Coordinates of all heavy atoms in Angstrom, one line a residue:
M10 N 0.8 -1.2 0.0 CA 0.0 0.0 0.0 C 0.9 1.2 0.0 O 1.9 1.3 0.7 CB -0.9 0.0 1.2 CG -1.7 1.3 1.4 SD -2.6 1.4 2.9 CE -4.2 0.9 2.2
A11 N 0.5 2.2 -0.7 CA 1.2 3.5 -0.8 C 1.1 4.3 0.5 O 0.3 4.0 1.4 CB 0.6 4.3 -1.9
N12 N 1.9 5.3 0.6 CA 1.9 6.2 1.7 C 0.5 6.9 1.8 O 0.0 7.3 0.7 CB 3.0 7.3 1.5 CG 3.1 8.3 2.5 OD1 2.8 8.0 3.7 ND2 3.5 9.5 2.2
V13 N -0.1 7.0 2.9 CA -1.4 7.6 3.1 C -1.2 9.0 3.6 O -0.6 9.2 4.6 CB -2.3 6.8 4.0 CG1 -3.6 7.5 4.3 CG2 -2.5 5.4 3.5
Q14 N -1.8 10.0 2.8 CA -1.8 11.4 3.3 C -3.2 11.9 3.0 O -3.7 11.8 1.9 CB -0.8 12.2 2.5 CG 0.7 11.9 2.9 CD 1.7 12.7 2.1 OE1 2.3 12.2 1.2 NE2 1.8 14.0 2.5
N15 N -3.8 12.5 4.0 CA -5.1 13.0 3.9 C -5.1 14.6 3.9 O -4.2 15.1 4.6 CB -6.0 12.6 5.0 CG -6.2 11.1 5.0 OD1 -6.4 10.5 4.0 ND2 -6.0 10.4 6.2
F16 N -6.0 15.2 3.2 CA -6.0 16.7 3.0 C -7.4 17.2 3.3 O -8.4 16.5 3.0 CB -5.5 17.1 1.7 CG -4.1 16.7 1.3 CD1 -3.8 15.6 0.5 CD2 -3.0 17.4 1.9 CE1 -2.5 15.2 0.3 CE2 -1.7 17.0 1.6 CZ -1.5 15.9 0.8
D17 N -7.4 18.4 3.8 CA -8.7 19.1 4.1 C -8.5 20.5 3.5 O -7.6 21.3 4.0 CB -9.0 19.2 5.6 CG -10.3 19.8 5.9 OD1 -11.3 19.4 5.3 OD2 -10.3 20.7 6.8
I18 N -9.4 20.9 2.5 CA -9.3 22.2 1.9 C -10.6 22.8 1.8 O -11.7 22.1 2.0 CB -8.6 22.1 0.5 CG1 -9.5 21.3 -0.5 CG2 -7.2 21.6 0.6 CD1 -9.0 21.4 -1.9
V19 N -10.7 24.1 1.4 CA -11.9 24.8 1.2 C -12.1 24.9 -0.3 O -11.2 25.2 -1.0 CB -11.9 26.2 1.9 CG1 -13.1 27.0 1.5 CG2 -11.7 26.1 3.4
A20 N -13.4 24.7 -0.7 CA -13.7 24.8 -2.2 C -13.3 26.2 -2.7 O -13.5 27.2 -2.0 CB -15.2 24.6 -2.4
G21 N -12.6 26.2 -3.8 CA -12.1 27.5 -4.4 C -10.8 28.0 -3.8 O -10.3 29.0 -4.2
E22 N -10.2 27.3 -2.9 CA -9.0 27.7 -2.2 C -7.8 27.5 -3.2 O -7.7 26.5 -3.9 CB -8.8 26.8 -1.0 CG -7.5 27.1 -0.2 CD -7.4 26.2 1.0 OE1 -8.1 25.3 1.2 OE2 -6.4 26.5 1.8
T23 N -6.9 28.5 -3.2 CA -5.7 28.3 -3.9 C -4.6 27.9 -2.9 O -4.4 28.5 -1.9 CB -5.2 29.7 -4.5 OG1 -6.2 30.1 -5.5 CG2 -3.9 29.6 -5.2
C24 N -4.1 26.7 -3.2 CA -3.1 26.1 -2.2 C -2.1 25.2 -2.9 O -2.4 24.8 -4.1 CB -3.8 25.4 -1.1 SG -4.8 24.0 -1.6
T25 N -1.1 24.8 -2.2 CA -0.1 23.9 -2.7 C -0.1 22.7 -1.7 O 0.2 23.0 -0.5 CB 1.3 24.5 -2.9 OG1 1.1 25.6 -3.9 CG2 2.3 23.5 -3.4
L26 N -0.3 21.5 -2.2 CA -0.2 20.3 -1.3 C 1.1 19.7 -1.5 O 1.6 19.5 -2.6 CB -1.3 19.3 -1.7 CG -2.8 19.9 -1.7 CD1 -3.7 18.8 -2.3 CD2 -3.2 20.3 -0.3
T27 N 1.8 19.4 -0.4 CA 3.1 18.7 -0.5 C 2.9 17.3 -0.1 O 2.2 16.9 0.9 CB 4.1 19.4 0.5 OG1 4.2 20.8 0.1 CG2 5.4 18.7 0.5
M28 N 3.5 16.4 -0.9 CA 3.3 15.0 -0.7 C 4.7 14.3 -0.8 O 5.6 14.9 -1.3 CB 2.4 14.4 -1.8 CG 1.0 14.8 -1.6 SD -0.1 14.2 -2.9 CE -0.6 15.8 -3.6
Y29 N 4.8 13.1 -0.2 CA 6.0 12.4 -0.1 C 5.8 10.9 -0.6 O 5.0 10.2 -0.1 CB 6.5 12.4 1.4 CG 6.7 13.8 1.9 CD1 5.7 14.4 2.6 CD2 7.9 14.5 1.7 CE1 5.8 15.7 3.0 CE2 8.0 15.8 2.1 CZ 7.0 16.4 2.8 OH 7.2 17.7 3.2
A30 N 6.6 10.6 -1.6 CA 6.5 9.2 -2.2 C 7.2 8.2 -1.2 O 8.4 8.4 -1.0 CB 7.2 9.2 -3.5
R31 N 6.4 7.3 -0.7 CA 7.0 6.3 0.2 C 6.4 4.9 -0.2 O 5.3 4.8 -0.7 CB 6.6 6.6 1.6 CG 7.0 7.9 2.1 CD 8.5 7.9 2.4 NE 9.0 9.1 3.0 CZ 9.4 10.2 2.4 NH1 9.5 10.2 1.1 NH2 9.8 11.3 3.0
D32 N 7.1 3.8 0.2 CA 6.5 2.5 -0.1 C 5.8 2.1 1.2 O 5.7 2.8 2.2 CB 7.6 1.5 -0.5 CG 8.6 1.2 0.6 OD1 8.4 1.6 1.8 OD2 9.6 0.6 0.3
R33 N 5.3 0.8 1.2 CA 4.5 0.3 2.3 C 5.3 0.3 3.7 O 4.7 0.2 4.7 CB 3.9 -1.0 2.0 CG 4.9 -2.2 2.0 CD 4.2 -3.5 1.7 NE 4.8 -4.2 0.6 CZ 4.3 -4.4 -0.6 NH1 3.1 -4.0 -0.8 NH2 5.0 -5.0 -1.5
N34 N 6.6 0.3 3.6 CA 7.5 0.3 4.8 C 7.9 1.7 5.1 O 8.8 1.8 6.0 CB 8.7 -0.7 4.5 CG 8.2 -2.1 4.3 OD1 7.4 -2.6 5.0 ND2 8.8 -2.7 3.3
N35 N 7.4 2.7 4.5 CA 7.7 4.1 4.7 C 9.1 4.4 4.2 O 9.7 5.4 4.6 CB 7.5 4.5 6.1 CG 7.2 6.0 6.3 OD1 6.6 6.6 5.4 ND2 7.7 6.6 7.3
A36 N 9.7 3.6 3.3 CA 11.0 4.0 2.7 C 10.7 4.9 1.6 O 9.8 4.8 0.8 CB 11.6 2.7 2.2
V37 N 11.7 5.9 1.4 CA 11.6 6.9 0.3 C 11.6 6.2 -1.0 O 12.3 5.3 -1.3 CB 12.8 7.8 0.4 CG1 12.8 8.7 -0.8 CG2 12.7 8.6 1.7
Q38 N 10.7 6.6 -1.9 CA 10.6 6.2 -3.3 C 11.2 7.3 -4.1 O 10.7 8.4 -4.2 CB 9.2 5.9 -3.7 CG 8.5 4.8 -3.1 CD 9.2 3.5 -3.6 OE1 9.2 3.1 -4.7 NE2 9.7 2.7 -2.6
S39 N 12.3 7.1 -4.8 CA 13.0 8.1 -5.6 C 12.1 8.4 -6.8 O 11.4 7.5 -7.4 CB 14.3 7.6 -6.1 OG 14.8 8.5 -7.0
L40 N 12.0 9.7 -7.1 CA 11.2 10.1 -8.3 C 12.1 10.5 -9.4 O 11.7 11.2 -10.4 CB 10.3 11.3 -7.9 CG 9.3 11.0 -6.8 CD1 8.6 12.2 -6.4 CD2 8.3 9.9 -7.3
S41 N 13.4 10.1 -9.4 CA 14.4 10.5 -10.4 C 13.9 10.0 -11.8 O 13.6 8.8 -11.9 CB 15.7 9.9 -10.1 OG 16.2 10.5 -8.9
G42 N 13.9 10.9 -12.7 CA 13.5 10.5 -14.1 C 12.0 10.2 -14.3 O 11.6 9.8 -15.3
L43 N 11.2 10.5 -13.3 CA 9.7 10.2 -13.3 C 8.9 11.5 -13.3 O 9.4 12.5 -12.9 CB 9.3 9.3 -12.2 CG 10.0 8.0 -12.1 CD1 9.6 7.3 -10.8 CD2 9.7 7.1 -13.3
T44 N 7.7 11.4 -13.7 CA 6.7 12.4 -13.5 C 5.6 11.8 -12.6 O 5.5 10.6 -12.4 CB 6.0 12.9 -14.8 OG1 5.4 11.8 -15.4 CG2 7.1 13.5 -15.7
V45 N 4.8 12.7 -12.0 CA 3.8 12.3 -11.0 C 2.4 12.9 -11.5 O 2.4 14.1 -11.7 CB 4.1 12.7 -9.6 CG1 3.0 12.3 -8.6 CG2 5.4 12.2 -9.1
Q46 N 1.4 12.1 -11.6 CA 0.1 12.5 -11.8 C -0.8 12.3 -10.6 O -0.8 11.2 -10.0 CB -0.5 11.8 -13.0 CG -1.9 12.3 -13.4 CD -2.6 11.5 -14.5 OE1 -2.8 10.3 -14.4 NE2 -2.8 12.2 -15.6
W47 N -1.5 13.4 -10.2 CA -2.4 13.3 -9.0 C -3.8 13.3 -9.5 O -4.2 14.1 -10.3 CB -2.1 14.5 -8.1 CG -2.8 14.5 -6.8 CD1 -2.6 13.6 -5.8 CD2 -3.8 15.4 -6.4 NE1 -3.4 14.0 -4.7 CE2 -4.1 15.1 -5.0 CE3 -4.4 16.5 -6.9 CZ2 -5.1 15.8 -4.3 CZ3 -5.3 17.2 -6.2 CH2 -5.7 16.9 -4.9
R48 N -4.5 12.3 -9.0 CA -5.9 12.0 -9.4 C -6.9 12.0 -8.2 O -6.5 11.5 -7.2 CB -6.1 10.7 -10.2 CG -5.1 10.7 -11.4 CD -5.3 9.4 -12.2 NE -4.8 8.3 -11.4 CZ -4.4 7.1 -12.0 NH1 -4.4 7.0 -13.3 NH2 -4.0 6.2 -11.2
V49 N -8.0 12.6 -8.4 CA -9.0 12.7 -7.3 C -10.3 12.1 -7.9 O -10.8 12.4 -9.0 CB -9.3 14.1 -6.9 CG1 -10.4 14.2 -5.9 CG2 -8.0 14.7 -6.4
G50 N -11.0 11.2 -7.1 CA -12.3 10.6 -7.5 C -13.2 10.5 -6.3 O -12.8 10.7 -5.2
T51 N -14.5 10.3 -6.7 CA -15.5 10.1 -5.7 C -15.7 8.7 -5.2 O -15.7 7.8 -6.0 CB -16.9 10.6 -6.3 OG1 -16.8 11.9 -6.8 CG2 -18.0 10.6 -5.2
P52 N -15.7 8.4 -3.9 CA -15.8 7.1 -3.4 C -17.2 6.5 -3.7 O -18.1 7.2 -3.7 CB -15.5 7.2 -1.9 CG -15.4 8.6 -1.5 CD -15.5 9.4 -2.8
P53 N -17.3 5.2 -3.9 CA -16.2 4.3 -4.1 C -15.6 4.5 -5.5 O -16.3 4.7 -6.5 CB -16.8 2.9 -4.0 CG -18.3 3.2 -4.4 CD -18.6 4.6 -4.0
W54 N -14.3 4.6 -5.5 CA -13.6 5.0 -6.8 C -12.6 4.0 -7.2 O -11.7 3.7 -6.4 CB -13.0 6.4 -6.6 CG -12.2 7.0 -7.7 CD1 -12.7 7.1 -9.0 CD2 -10.9 7.5 -7.8 NE1 -11.8 7.7 -9.8 CE2 -10.7 7.9 -9.1 CE3 -9.9 7.6 -6.8 CZ2 -9.4 8.5 -9.5 CZ3 -8.7 8.1 -7.2 CH2 -8.5 8.6 -8.5
D55 N -12.7 3.5 -8.4 CA -11.7 2.6 -8.9 C -10.8 3.4 -9.9 O -11.3 3.7 -11.0 CB -12.3 1.4 -9.6 CG -11.3 0.5 -10.2 OD1 -10.1 0.8 -10.1 OD2 -11.7 -0.5 -10.8
P56 N -9.7 3.9 -9.5 CA -8.9 4.8 -10.4 C -8.4 4.1 -11.7 O -8.1 4.8 -12.6 CB -7.7 5.1 -9.6 CG -7.6 4.2 -8.4 CD -9.0 3.6 -8.3
T57 N -8.5 2.8 -11.8 CA -8.1 2.1 -13.0 C -9.2 2.1 -14.1 O -9.0 1.9 -15.2 CB -7.7 0.6 -12.8 OG1 -8.8 -0.1 -12.2 CG2 -6.5 0.6 -11.8
S58 N -10.5 2.4 -13.6 CA -11.6 2.4 -14.6 C -12.5 3.6 -14.5 O -13.1 3.9 -15.5 CB -12.4 1.1 -14.5 OG -13.0 1.1 -13.2
D59 N -12.6 4.2 -13.4 CA -13.5 5.4 -13.2 C -12.8 6.7 -13.7 O -11.6 6.8 -13.5 CB -14.0 5.5 -11.8 CG -14.8 4.4 -11.4 OD1 -15.4 3.7 -12.3 OD2 -15.0 4.2 -10.1
R60 N -13.6 7.6 -14.2 CA -13.0 8.9 -14.5 C -12.8 9.8 -13.3 O -13.6 9.8 -12.4 CB -14.1 9.7 -15.4 CG -13.8 9.6 -16.8 CD -14.8 10.4 -17.6 NE -14.3 11.8 -17.7 CZ -15.0 12.8 -18.1 NH1 -16.3 12.6 -18.4 NH2 -14.5 14.0 -18.1
P61 N -11.6 10.4 -13.2 CA -11.3 11.2 -12.0 C -12.1 12.5 -12.1 O -12.5 13.0 -13.2 CB -9.8 11.5 -12.1 CG -9.5 11.3 -13.6 CD -10.5 10.3 -14.1
V62 N -12.4 13.1 -10.9 CA -13.0 14.4 -10.8 C -12.0 15.5 -11.1 O -12.4 16.5 -11.7 CB -13.6 14.6 -9.3 CG1 -14.1 16.0 -9.1 CG2 -14.7 13.6 -9.0
L63 N -10.8 15.2 -10.8 CA -9.7 16.2 -10.9 C -8.4 15.5 -11.2 O -8.1 14.5 -10.6 CB -9.6 17.0 -9.6 CG -8.5 18.1 -9.5 CD1 -8.7 19.2 -10.5 CD2 -8.5 18.6 -8.1
T64 N -7.6 16.0 -12.1 CA -6.3 15.4 -12.4 C -5.3 16.6 -12.5 O -5.6 17.6 -13.2 CB -6.3 14.7 -13.7 OG1 -7.2 13.6 -13.7 CG2 -4.9 14.1 -14.0
K65 N -4.2 16.5 -11.8 CA -3.1 17.5 -11.9 C -1.8 16.8 -12.0 O -1.6 15.7 -11.5 CB -3.1 18.4 -10.6 CG -4.4 19.1 -10.3 CD -4.7 20.3 -11.2 CE -3.8 21.4 -10.8 NZ -4.1 22.7 -11.5
T66 N -0.8 17.5 -12.6 CA 0.5 17.1 -12.7 C 1.3 17.6 -11.5 O 1.3 18.8 -11.2 CB 1.2 17.5 -14.0 OG1 0.5 16.9 -15.1 CG2 2.6 17.0 -14.1
G67 N 2.0 16.7 -10.8 CA 2.8 17.2 -9.7 C 4.2 17.8 -10.1 O 4.7 17.5 -11.2
S68 N 4.7 18.6 -9.3 CA 6.0 19.3 -9.5 C 7.0 18.6 -8.5 O 6.8 18.7 -7.3 CB 6.0 20.8 -9.3 OG 5.1 21.4 -10.2
I69 N 8.0 18.0 -9.0 CA 9.0 17.4 -8.2 C 9.8 18.4 -7.4 O 10.4 19.3 -8.1 CB 10.0 16.5 -9.0 CG1 9.2 15.5 -9.9 CG2 11.0 15.8 -8.1 CD1 8.5 14.4 -9.2
V70 N 9.9 18.3 -6.1 CA 10.7 19.2 -5.3 C 12.1 18.6 -5.1 O 13.1 19.3 -5.3 CB 10.0 19.5 -3.9 CG1 10.9 20.3 -3.0 CG2 8.6 20.1 -4.2
S71 N 12.1 17.4 -4.7 CA 13.4 16.6 -4.5 C 13.1 15.2 -4.9 O 12.5 14.4 -4.2 CB 13.8 16.7 -3.0 OG 15.0 15.9 -2.8
A72 N 13.7 14.9 -6.1 CA 13.5 13.5 -6.6 C 14.1 12.5 -5.7 O 13.4 11.4 -5.4 CB 14.1 13.4 -8.0
S73 N 15.3 12.7 -5.1 CA 15.9 11.7 -4.2 C 15.2 11.5 -2.9 O 15.2 10.5 -2.3 CB 17.4 12.1 -4.0 OG 17.4 13.3 -3.3
A74 N 14.5 12.6 -2.4 CA 13.7 12.5 -1.2 C 12.3 12.1 -1.4 O 11.5 11.9 -0.5 CB 13.8 13.9 -0.5
G75 N 11.9 12.0 -2.7 CA 10.5 11.6 -3.0 C 9.5 12.7 -2.8 O 8.3 12.4 -2.7
S76 N 9.9 13.9 -2.7 CA 8.9 15.0 -2.4 C 8.4 15.7 -3.7 O 9.2 15.9 -4.6 CB 9.4 16.0 -1.4 OG 10.5 16.7 -1.9
F77 N 7.1 16.0 -3.7 CA 6.5 16.7 -4.8 C 5.3 17.5 -4.3 O 4.8 17.3 -3.2 CB 6.1 15.8 -5.9 CG 5.1 14.8 -5.5 CD1 3.7 15.0 -5.8 CD2 5.4 13.6 -4.9 CE1 2.8 14.1 -5.4 CE2 4.5 12.7 -4.5 CZ 3.1 12.9 -4.8
T78 N 4.9 18.5 -5.1 CA 3.8 19.3 -4.8 C 2.8 19.3 -5.9 O 3.1 19.0 -7.0 CB 4.2 20.8 -4.6 OG1 4.8 21.3 -5.8 CG2 5.2 20.9 -3.4
V79 N 1.5 19.6 -5.5 CA 0.4 19.8 -6.5 C -0.2 21.1 -6.1 O -0.6 21.3 -5.0 CB -0.6 18.6 -6.4 CG1 -1.8 18.9 -7.2 CG2 0.0 17.3 -6.7
S80 N -0.3 22.0 -7.1 CA -0.9 23.3 -6.9 C -2.3 23.3 -7.4 O -2.6 22.9 -8.5 CB -0.1 24.4 -7.7 OG 1.2 24.4 -7.1
L81 N -3.2 23.8 -6.5 CA -4.6 23.9 -6.8 C -5.0 25.4 -6.9 O -4.5 26.2 -6.1 CB -5.4 23.3 -5.7 CG -5.2 21.8 -5.5 CD1 -6.0 21.3 -4.3 CD2 -5.6 21.0 -6.7
T82 N -5.8 25.7 -7.9 CA -6.3 27.0 -8.1 C -7.8 27.1 -7.8 O -8.4 26.0 -7.6 CB -6.1 27.5 -9.6 OG1 -6.9 26.7 -10.4 CG2 -4.6 27.4 -9.9
Y83 N -8.3 28.2 -7.8 CA -9.8 28.4 -7.6 C -10.6 27.6 -8.5 O -11.5 26.9 -8.1 CB -10.1 29.9 -7.8 CG -11.6 30.2 -7.7 CD1 -12.2 30.4 -6.5 CD2 -12.3 30.3 -8.9 CE1 -13.6 30.7 -6.5 CE2 -13.7 30.6 -8.8 CZ -14.3 30.7 -7.6 OH -15.7 31.0 -7.6
D84 N -10.2 27.6 -9.8 CA -11.0 26.9 -10.8 C -11.0 25.4 -10.6 O -11.9 24.7 -11.0 CB -10.4 27.2 -12.2 CG -10.8 28.6 -12.6 OD1 -11.8 29.2 -12.1 OD2 -10.1 29.1 -13.5
D85 N -9.9 24.8 -9.9 CA -9.8 23.4 -9.7 C -10.9 22.9 -8.8 O -11.4 21.8 -8.9 CB -8.5 23.0 -9.1 CG -7.3 23.2 -10.1 OD1 -7.6 23.0 -11.4 OD2 -6.2 23.6 -9.7
T86 N -11.3 23.7 -7.8 CA -12.1 23.1 -6.7 C -13.4 24.0 -6.4 O -14.1 23.5 -5.5 CB -11.3 23.0 -5.4 OG1 -10.9 24.3 -5.0 CG2 -10.1 22.0 -5.6
Y87 N -13.6 25.1 -7.0 CA -14.7 26.0 -6.6 C -16.0 25.3 -6.7 O -17.0 25.7 -6.0 CB -14.7 27.3 -7.3 CG -15.3 27.2 -8.7 CD1 -16.6 27.6 -8.9 CD2 -14.5 26.8 -9.8 CE1 -17.2 27.6 -10.2 CE2 -15.1 26.7 -11.1 CZ -16.4 27.1 -11.3 OH -16.9 27.1 -12.5
N88 N -16.2 24.3 -7.6 CA -17.5 23.7 -7.9 C -17.6 22.3 -7.3 O -18.5 21.6 -7.7 CB -17.7 23.7 -9.4 CG -19.2 23.8 -9.7 OD1 -20.0 24.2 -8.9 ND2 -19.5 23.4 -10.9
I89 N -16.7 21.9 -6.4 CA -16.9 20.6 -5.8 C -16.8 20.7 -4.3 O -16.3 21.7 -3.7 CB -15.8 19.6 -6.3 CG1 -14.4 20.1 -5.8 CG2 -15.8 19.4 -7.8 CD1 -13.3 19.1 -6.1
Q90 N -17.5 19.8 -3.6 CA -17.4 19.7 -2.2 C -17.7 18.3 -1.7 O -18.3 17.6 -2.4 CB -18.3 20.7 -1.5 CG -19.8 20.5 -1.7 CD -20.6 21.6 -1.0 OE1 -20.2 22.7 -0.8 NE2 -21.8 21.2 -0.6
G91 N -17.2 17.9 -0.6 CA -17.5 16.6 0.0 C -16.2 15.8 0.2 O -15.1 16.4 0.2
D92 N -16.3 14.5 0.2 CA -15.2 13.6 0.5 C -14.8 12.9 -0.8 O -15.7 12.4 -1.5 CB -15.6 12.6 1.6 CG -15.8 13.3 2.9 OD1 -14.9 14.0 3.3 OD2 -16.8 13.0 3.6
F93 N -13.5 12.9 -1.0 CA -13.0 12.3 -2.2 C -11.8 11.4 -1.9 O -11.2 11.5 -0.8 CB -12.5 13.3 -3.2 CG -13.6 14.3 -3.7 CD1 -13.9 15.4 -2.9 CD2 -14.3 14.0 -4.8 CE1 -14.9 16.3 -3.3 CE2 -15.4 14.8 -5.2 CZ -15.6 16.0 -4.5
L94 N -11.4 10.5 -2.8 CA -10.2 9.7 -2.6 C -9.2 10.3 -3.6 O -9.6 10.8 -4.7 CB -10.5 8.2 -3.0 CG -11.5 7.5 -2.1 CD1 -11.8 6.1 -2.6 CD2 -11.1 7.5 -0.6
H95 N -7.9 10.2 -3.2 CA -6.9 10.7 -4.2 C -5.8 9.7 -4.2 O -5.6 8.9 -3.3 CB -6.4 12.1 -3.8 CG -5.5 12.1 -2.6 ND1 -4.2 12.0 -2.7 CD2 -5.8 12.3 -1.2 CE1 -3.6 12.0 -1.5 NE2 -4.6 12.2 -0.6
Q96 N -5.0 9.8 -5.3 CA -3.8 9.0 -5.4 C -2.8 9.7 -6.3 O -3.2 10.4 -7.3 CB -4.0 7.6 -5.8 CG -4.5 7.4 -7.2 CD -4.6 6.0 -7.7 OE1 -4.7 5.7 -8.8 NE2 -4.6 5.0 -6.8
A97 N -1.5 9.5 -6.1 CA -0.5 10.0 -6.9 C 0.2 8.8 -7.6 O 0.6 7.9 -6.9 CB 0.5 10.9 -6.1
V98 N 0.3 8.9 -8.9 CA 0.9 7.8 -9.6 C 2.1 8.3 -10.5 O 2.0 9.3 -11.1 CB -0.2 7.2 -10.6 CG1 0.4 6.0 -11.3 CG2 -1.4 6.8 -9.8
T99 N 3.2 7.5 -10.4 CA 4.3 7.9 -11.2 C 4.2 7.5 -12.6 O 3.3 6.6 -13.0 CB 5.6 7.3 -10.6 OG1 5.6 5.9 -10.8 CG2 5.8 7.7 -9.2
S100 N 5.0 8.0 -13.5 CA 5.0 7.7 -14.9 C 5.4 6.2 -15.1 O 5.1 5.6 -16.2 CB 5.9 8.6 -15.7 OG 7.2 8.6 -15.2
S101 N 5.9 5.6 -14.1 CA 6.2 4.1 -14.2 C 5.1 3.3 -13.7 O 5.1 2.0 -13.7 CB 7.5 3.8 -13.3 OG 7.2 4.0 -12.0
G102 N 4.0 3.9 -13.3 CA 2.7 3.2 -12.9 C 2.7 2.9 -11.4 O 1.7 2.3 -10.9
L103 N 3.6 3.4 -10.6 CA 3.7 3.1 -9.2 C 2.8 4.1 -8.4 O 3.0 5.3 -8.6 CB 5.1 3.1 -8.7 CG 5.3 2.8 -7.2 CD1 4.9 1.4 -6.9 CD2 6.8 3.0 -6.8
V104 N 1.9 3.7 -7.6 CA 1.1 4.5 -6.7 C 2.0 4.9 -5.5 O 2.3 4.0 -4.7 CB -0.2 3.9 -6.3 CG1 -1.0 4.8 -5.3 CG2 -1.1 3.6 -7.5
V105 N 2.3 6.1 -5.3 CA 3.2 6.5 -4.2 C 2.6 7.2 -3.1 O 3.1 7.4 -2.0 CB 4.4 7.4 -4.8 CG1 5.3 6.5 -5.7 CG2 4.0 8.6 -5.5
V106 N 1.4 7.8 -3.3 CA 0.6 8.4 -2.3 C -0.9 8.1 -2.5 O -1.3 8.2 -3.7 CB 0.8 9.9 -2.2 CG1 -0.1 10.6 -1.2 CG2 2.2 10.3 -1.9
S107 N -1.6 7.9 -1.5 CA -3.1 7.8 -1.6 C -3.7 8.3 -0.3 O -3.0 8.5 0.6 CB -3.5 6.3 -1.8 OG -3.2 5.5 -0.7
G108 N -5.0 8.5 -0.3 CA -5.7 9.0 0.9 C -7.0 9.7 0.6 O -7.6 9.5 -0.5
R109 N -7.4 10.5 1.5 CA -8.7 11.2 1.4 C -8.5 12.7 1.2 O -7.6 13.2 1.8 CB -9.6 10.9 2.6 CG -10.0 9.5 2.7 CD -11.1 9.3 3.7 NE -11.6 7.9 3.7 CZ -12.5 7.4 2.9 NH1 -13.1 8.1 2.0 NH2 -12.8 6.1 2.9
L110 N -9.4 13.3 0.4 CA -9.4 14.7 0.3 C -10.8 15.2 0.7 O -11.8 14.8 0.1 CB -9.1 15.1 -1.2 CG -9.3 16.6 -1.6 CD1 -8.2 17.5 -0.9 CD2 -9.3 16.8 -3.1
H111 N -10.8 16.0 1.7 CA -12.1 16.6 2.1 C -12.2 18.1 1.6 O -11.3 18.8 1.9 CB -12.3 16.5 3.6 CG -13.6 17.1 4.1 ND1 -14.8 16.5 3.9 CD2 -13.8 18.3 4.7 CE1 -15.7 17.3 4.4 NE2 -15.2 18.4 4.9
V112 N -13.2 18.4 0.8 CA -13.4 19.7 0.3 C -14.6 20.4 1.0 O -15.7 19.9 0.8 CB -13.6 19.8 -1.2 CG1 -13.7 21.2 -1.7 CG2 -12.4 19.0 -1.9
R113 N -14.3 21.3 1.9 CA -15.4 22.0 2.6 C -16.0 23.1 1.7 O -15.3 23.7 0.9 CB -14.8 22.7 3.9 CG -14.5 21.6 4.9 CD -13.9 22.3 6.2 NE -12.5 22.5 6.0 CZ -11.9 23.6 6.3 NH1 -12.5 24.6 6.9 NH2 -10.6 23.7 6.1
P114 N -17.3 23.4 1.9 CA -17.9 24.5 1.1 C -17.2 25.8 1.3 O -16.8 26.1 2.5 CB -19.3 24.6 1.6 CG -19.5 23.3 2.4 CD -18.2 22.8 2.8
G115 N -17.0 26.6 0.2 CA -16.4 27.9 0.4 C -17.4 29.0 0.5 O -18.6 28.7 0.3
I116 N -17.0 30.2 0.9 CA -17.9 31.3 0.9 C -18.0 31.9 -0.5 O -17.0 32.1 -1.1 CB -17.4 32.4 1.9 CG1 -17.3 31.8 3.3 CG2 -18.3 33.6 1.9 CD1 -16.7 32.7 4.3
R117 N -19.2 32.1 -0.9 CA -19.5 32.6 -2.3 C -20.2 33.9 -2.2 O -21.0 34.2 -1.3 CB -20.3 31.6 -3.1 CG -19.6 30.3 -3.3 CD -20.5 29.4 -4.1 NE -19.9 28.1 -4.1 CZ -19.4 27.5 -5.1 NH1 -19.4 28.1 -6.3 NH2 -18.9 26.3 -5.1
S118 N -19.8 34.8 -3.1 CA -20.5 36.1 -3.2 C -21.9 35.9 -3.8 O -22.1 34.9 -4.6 CB -19.7 37.1 -4.0 OG -19.5 36.6 -5.3
G119 N -22.8 36.7 -3.6 CA -24.2 36.6 -4.2 C -24.1 36.8 -5.7 O -23.2 37.4 -6.3
S120 N -25.1 36.2 -6.3 CA -25.1 36.3 -7.8 C -26.5 36.8 -8.3 O -27.4 36.8 -7.7 CB -24.8 35.0 -8.5 OG -25.5 33.9 -7.9

């Protein structure tokens, strides 16, 4: 099982999530020469067959330390809320992070 990291954000929030690629024994997974795709889906979610709600490309911070970030903008999350499952997958097909993403309703101006 991949490293589990859970996140709690507000809909429409601009933020950067930092994640760490680890194996089931919590050993660092090197990201050297790889890219990372972060996918979010609604439970129950089968990432191998279901369409993700959100997909973003991660930015490698330290390949040798297995750290990477995913930047979210207003447009990414302003129209979603609730509980989701997420996972980060390397270009080699290895799932290096999984967990839950909770999106709380944001404050909206009147329309």
